[in-house]
Amino acid sequence: MKIFESKDGINYIRRGQMIPTETVVNMPDFHLIENRKAIGTLIESKGLTEWSFSLSANDVVYGLGQNMRGLNKRGFVYESFCSDDPNHTPDKRSLYGAHNFFVVLGEENWGLYIDFAGKVTYDIGFEDKNQLKITIEGVDFDAYVFKGTFESITKQFRALIGPSYVPPKWAFGYQQSRWSYEDATVVKEIADRFDSEDIPCDAIYLDIDYMERFKDFTISDERFPEFKSFVKDLKARDLKLVPIIDAGVKVEEGYSVYEEGVEKHYFVTDDKGKPFSAAVWPGKVHFPDFLNADVREWFGNAYHEMLEMGIEGFWNDMNEPAIFYSEKGLNEAIAFVSAQAGQNLDIYTFFTLKDKIMGLSNALSDYKAMWHRMTTRSGELKVNHYDVHNLYGYNMTRAAAEGFKRFDSDRRFFMLTRASHIGMAKHSGIWTGDNHSWWEHLKLNVQMMPSLSMAGFLYSGADTGGFGGNVSAELMVRWMQFSTFTPLLRNHSAMGTRRQEPWQFDQATLKIIRDQIRMRYALVPYLYAEFMKANQDQTLLFAPLAYAYGDSRSLLVEDQVLFGEGLMLAPVIEQNALGRYVYLPEDMVLWKASSVENLNQESFVKMEHGDHYLPLAINESAVFIRKNHLLVLTEPRNRVSKLSYDHLTVIGYVEDEATYDLYDDDGVTNQFEKGIHHKTRLTVVRVGETYRLSVDTTVTTLGNIELYIIDKNGKTHHLKQEKGVL
Ligand code: MIG
């Protein structure tokens, strides 16, 4: 095993010549280290690589980005293989993303990133509790091994892959979606209802219903007549529309995207070199070959027409790619079924028949029958889809992101995608796909956010309330309480399920949800600052407790997470629970957050290190402020653009001194990349029996600041600082 080392101690292992993923953008200088003892046990056989490591009894394994199960991944098998599977049940091994980065903490701390385009399987102490066995479906790959603390390992990894995608600031507002907002009238009704109910909202989504027969980049004239002025009218009210784009291009004579794609050989081909035919929503489709640079440019430019109409962002769907059936697969299945007609089927044949039909979607045999003309630095490479499967959605979204750059290089555009690879984190955010209105999926959401942060997917969130199935008022409320902190806060649901816009519930629930969304808006400056700093400093936005606390209990906490530099969240994730147990690794201040309107000295309670049972009424969620940290709120408004620094509230748990840097910028351009931003440094210092705030700021519109500072005895000091005093 040839091992290289960088000056900050990253070990780099190169096996053969990997298919480029363009994930690592900041490659440090590496030098070969001679006679270095191997890392783990690596065996190549039959085109596969098996790489094993031993785990100590108390090691925990965090990471793998978007995947099933708990924060600590030990005890199951996982795959990196982008999968369109809307049933996220515990037996599943993969979801929509392929994120090959994990960290082992325990006897020795180390992290591993496998830079590879194909399938990787991780048996993390499943077959053998003390073994971590990785199977890479190939022999050509790069790998990076990190050592250090949890924080330094994740920082080094994030530095390697470069900064994450940054959306426009309005993307931190509340977003409403549903598959079945079928026409402009319905969408306008939704918009009006938010305003008449006095519920903040910044964006409404257009799902596949807006297109003409599910054709990408078309807009149904019948259902969305005068689309351009519709977009303009909503924008005048400061509401954004976010249309969906699917990976498959409908096969239809006269449809320009299809015709141009065929003419220029832009589609993924089959074994015979013909465009590969599959069926998704539009019926028969071809898949653009996003691994080819010309195709990316062509597809990326196709977004421009809607950008010209005033659209500011999109969501890319079905880009694993999802295949309902392929022509070949369907023909074979039909032939098999027909051959059984009139027969007295034995049970095994019956099951085979059933599997033939059930197995039509997302069949590996289809992926293996698809071919790309991949652009690489050394020319065009003919590659089988299976070997680059995890790069497909990534490159679809890269096509869009590069298209946006060509449209306006200084503007930020909104972008979400479903399938992803770590290399994509620089181009777009992700939503976590088709979850269900199940309490288990609220928990999964809580547990997934830290591993997404580790993988660089800072702008992310789940379908709040759940996509499939019917949500109860209680689950909706509890989910909103958690999603209040996720950068993407989107309520989305599937056609045919119970409606879940805020007003679809009883009046009491409506009020709780309104208060909760208002709280979110009050938090936006703080959330945005935490987001931007996490991106610049390569820190985790969401983290397991072990990120900041070294005690052995913290390593095992599965249902509490750290948010940013100063908070710990302990969401209620169980039906009928009116409270929960919570573990405090040190003394903290609890805010039973229910609304930002009636804060007073009684709103904050200091709690001691250790275990507690915490009563939490349905409208209350547990937000903990860590020692010597500050939390900043502003006054809520109904749009992100209306938020200001006119009146800030600073809540802090301060023994002697705490400092907070409230980052801000214009929220719409990329000027921040050049370091152009506002900084407001808030410092709270104890002076005898009271506290003093000092403010160092470049913001000219800073107004009065109200403070709730909790001291080490648990006493709340309520202070006000007038503008003039600053
Ligand atoms: O086969 O466009 O994950 O968010 O609403 C389902 C319809 C296709 C899957 C996406 C979901 C979206 C839905 N899509």
Side-chain angles (χ1 to χ4, degrees), residues 96 179 207-208 244 246 281 315 317-318 324 418 431 433-434 463 467 490 492-493:
Y96 311 87
W179 172 16
D207 207 318
I208 46 175
I244 197 170
D246 279 8
W281 288 108
W315 50 314
D317 190 20
M318 309 302 269
F324 290 165
R418 198 172 71 175
W431 87 99
D434 298 348
D463 286 352
F467 175 75
R490 180 177 80 146
H492 179 54
S493 54

Side-chain angles (χ1 to χ4, degrees), residues 631-650:
L631 165 64
V632 183
L633 301 173
T634 187
E635 288 174 317
R637 294 283 180 269
N638 284 351
R639 303 282 186 269
V640 165
S641 64
K642 301 282 184 305
L643 297 171
S644 75
Y645 277 19
D646 289 350
H647 184 123
L648 298 181
T649 302
V650 174

Side-chain angles (χ1 to χ4, degrees), residues 626-630 652-660 681-688 690-694 709-712:
R626 293 167 57 196
K627 195 182 284 180
N628 296 327
H629 285 283
L630 306 175
Y653 172 26
V654 186
E655 288 196 339
D656 291 312
E657 186 175 330
T659 299
Y660 187 73
R681 171 164 289 189
L682 303 161
T683 308
V684 175
V685 185
R686 186 174 65 82
V687 194
T690 185
Y691 287 88
R692 202 172 52 222
L693 166 73
S694 60
I709 304 299
I710 297 84
D711 67 23
K712 68 168 186 280

Side-chain angles (χ1 to χ4, degrees), residues 39 54 117 147 214 267 340 398 599 650:
I39 300 175
S54 53
K147 295 239 161 75
F214 306 125
F267 294 122
Q340 315 309 319
R398 174 181 173 192
L599 295 181
V650 174

Side-chain angles (χ1 to χ4, degrees), residues 166 168 409-412 528 665-673:
V166 173
S409 62
D410 194 37
R411 216 160 94 201
R412 291 186 222 169
Y528 187 67
D665 59 29
D666 65 26
V668 288
T669 72
N670 289 321
Q671 294 295 308
F672 72 93
E673 287 173 352

